[in-house]
Amino acid sequence: MTPDEILDSISLKVSYPLAITLKPLAKLENGLYLSGQVAMREGALVATGLVGDQVSLELAQECGRQCAINLLNAAKLELGSLKSIRQVGRIAVYVASADGFTDQHLVAHGASQLFIEVFGPEMGSHARTAIGVKSLPLNSPVEVDAIFQIQ
């Protein structure tokens, strides 16, 4: 069946699956697209809550750094080595923000600096979006996703 035929055969009733399997990353041609990572370290979140309320800017930056470390670990697991990464292309940093908190870009520096530290300023510099959101999975204060160019 073609994708069009499959879609046509699916019931139009709304359904909500209890579980769905998603990949932590996808390789497409010379791109590696990594799903969002929260600030987990040794099986526990580095912090929980809203940045600008329960979580300080400095702790949120540490969370961003941990998210970036988790992204690189996922990439290394898939690729076998980080040597295959030619460029950090783009990251998106989501910050669970208290009302009035407007320093999402400063939180994002924690992740950005880690990529520059690991790959150097030439390969580690990247496009970036920093977005304030109401909440994130597991009450994490920060989540980061990334796109890498690979060989």
Side-chain angles (χ1 to χ4, degrees):
M1 288 178 78
T2 69
D4 291 316
E5 292 168 335
I6 293 169
L7 180 60
D8 289 342
S9 73
I10 295 173
S11 171
L12 295 178
K13 292 191 305 188
V14 176
S15 65
Y16 299 96
L18 295 177
I20 186 166
T21 303
L22 300 175
K23 294 167 49 173
L25 53 85
K27 287 194 323 191
L28 301 173
E29 295 184 16
N30 66 341
L32 188 65
Y33 297 76
L34 293 109
S35 296
Q37 294 283 325
V38 295
M40 283 282 191
R41 182 185 301 148
E42 298 177 4
L45 286 168
V46 172
T48 58
L50 299 176
V51 180
D53 189 4
Q54 299 96 351
V55 180
S56 69
L57 174 61
E58 294 75 19
L59 184 53
Q61 289 172 327
E62 181 183 342
C63 288
R65 181 178 178 85
Q66 186 63 51
C67 292
I69 290 168
N70 296 346
L71 287 164
L72 291 179
N73 282 330
K76 185 175 180 180
L77 186 65
E78 174 71 17
L79 301 171
S81 168
L82 297 179
K83 291 179 186 179
S84 298
I85 296 174
R86 299 180 69 189
Q87 178 71 46
V88 179
R90 180 182 185 279
I91 68 170
V93 180
Y94 305 90
V95 181
S97 302
D99 289 343
F101 183 78
T102 59
D103 286 335
Q104 290 82 5
H105 63 292
L106 298 178
V107 173
H109 288 348
S112 291
Q113 289 173 344
L114 185 275
F115 291 125
I116 292 168
E117 183 181 326
V118 171
F119 295 108
E122 183 76 20
M123 292 173 39
S125 293
H126 49 270
R128 180 180 84 186
T129 301
I131 304 164
V133 298
K134 183 176 178 175
S135 65
L136 290 168
L138 305 175
N139 199 24
S140 178
V142 182
E143 181 175 355
V144 181
D145 65 36
I147 301 171
F148 299 148
Q149 180 187 29
I150 57 174
Q151 5 189 17

